[in-house]
Amino acid sequence: MAFSGAKFTAARALPPIKPLTPTQGAYLAALRASPQVVVVGPAGTGKTWIAATHAADLLRTRQVERVILTRPNVPCGRSLGFFPGSLQDKFAPWAAPVIEAIKERIGKAAFDIALKNGDIEMVPFEVMRGRSWKDAFVLLDEAQNTTAAEMKTFLTRIGENCITVVDGDVSQCDLPSDSGLRAVIDLIRTKDLPVPVIEFTRDDIVRSGLCAMWVDAFDGVAT
């Protein structure tokens, strides 16, 4: 993988993303056909991996100018302020699953250059207000931990020629109030908005048998 200025040039052809389940296939089809997609389901189903890998392909082929990664800061214990380094350094542990998927697709060197050039940007959700984007792939990960007001803030930041993915697991909301992800899904359905909602189930878990076992166990399902 090489760069020409700030642009990607493909040094080798990468194989297409291969869905492992019918739901993953529907997810990929929605990503290719719709500017906004909402995807929900348990851990290990590929929600984040597919979005990040698809985003990497779009950036690599310059179908988008930037990839924007964000997620709400709802940690177990310490907040971002306790971590050393720049805001980007503080946010990196939260964005690790997305970062690793992109690195796997385009390589670490290309990722580092894209990050340095601003082609990949990590934006903590707490500094979202006032920002807007265009010509970008925008991924909101762990969206179950947004409030309805925060979700409105996020969705109204999206400009022209953007692809937006909102993913999460509504059963894992860490907020004392209702999840903004659930509110968005309700709005899409009650107002018949043209936004696909892809729903993964435990049957779609592809990470490992152990992952599926623990999802079942914590959900009170006998294995």
Side-chain angles (χ1 to χ4, degrees), residues 1-3 8 12 14 56 99-117 120:
M1 190 70 63
F3 280 84
F8 283 105
R12 60 185 175 84
L14 291 175
I99 291 170
E100 291 306 312
I102 295 176
K103 284 181 180 179
E104 286 178 8
R105 194 65 175 172
I106 67 176
K108 182 181 184 301
F111 174 86
D112 290 342
I113 294 171
L115 191 64
K116 181 178 179 180
N117 290 344
I120 296 175

Side-chain angles (χ1 to χ4, degrees), residues 107-221:
K108 182 181 184 301
F111 174 86
D112 290 342
I113 294 171
L115 191 64
K116 181 178 179 180
N117 290 344
D119 293 330
I120 296 175
E121 186 177 359
M122 294 182 286
V123 183
F125 203 84
E126 60 191 12
V127 298
M128 182 71 63
R129 190 175 299 276
R131 300 292 302 272
S132 63
W133 300 283
K134 63 180 181 178
D135 300 315
F137 186 104
V138 186
L139 171 59
L140 170 56
D141 193 31
E142 301 288 349
Q144 75 274 3
N145 286 327
T146 62
T147 65
E150 288 171 339
M151 188 65 78
K152 178 182 178 181
T153 296
F154 170 76
L155 292 173
T156 55
R157 300 298 95 199
I158 307 303
E160 295 296 326
N161 301 316
C162 281
I163 298 172
T164 310
V165 175
V166 175
D167 80 55
D169 180 356
V170 291
S171 71
Q172 297 296 317
C173 179
D174 296 318
L175 301 177
S177 57
D178 289 339
S179 169
L181 178 57
R182 189 184 300 276
V184 163
I185 294 171
D186 289 344
L187 285 172
I188 290 171
R189 289 172 173 165
T190 58
K191 296 183 179 295
D192 196 25
L193 301 179
V195 179
V197 177
I198 306 298
E199 296 186 71
F200 286 96
T201 69
R202 288 187 294 272
D203 293 336
D204 294 303
I205 294 174
V206 296
R207 180 173 297 163
S208 68
L210 288 173
C211 177
M213 178 189 73
W214 282 111
V215 169
D216 283 348
F218 277 102
D219 285 350
V221 177

Side-chain angles (χ1 to χ4, degrees), residues 2-25:
F3 280 84
S4 176
K7 305 296 184 183
F8 283 105
T9 55
R12 60 185 175 84
L14 291 175
I17 303 169
K18 183 179 179 181
L20 299 179
T21 67
T23 310
Q24 286 191 355

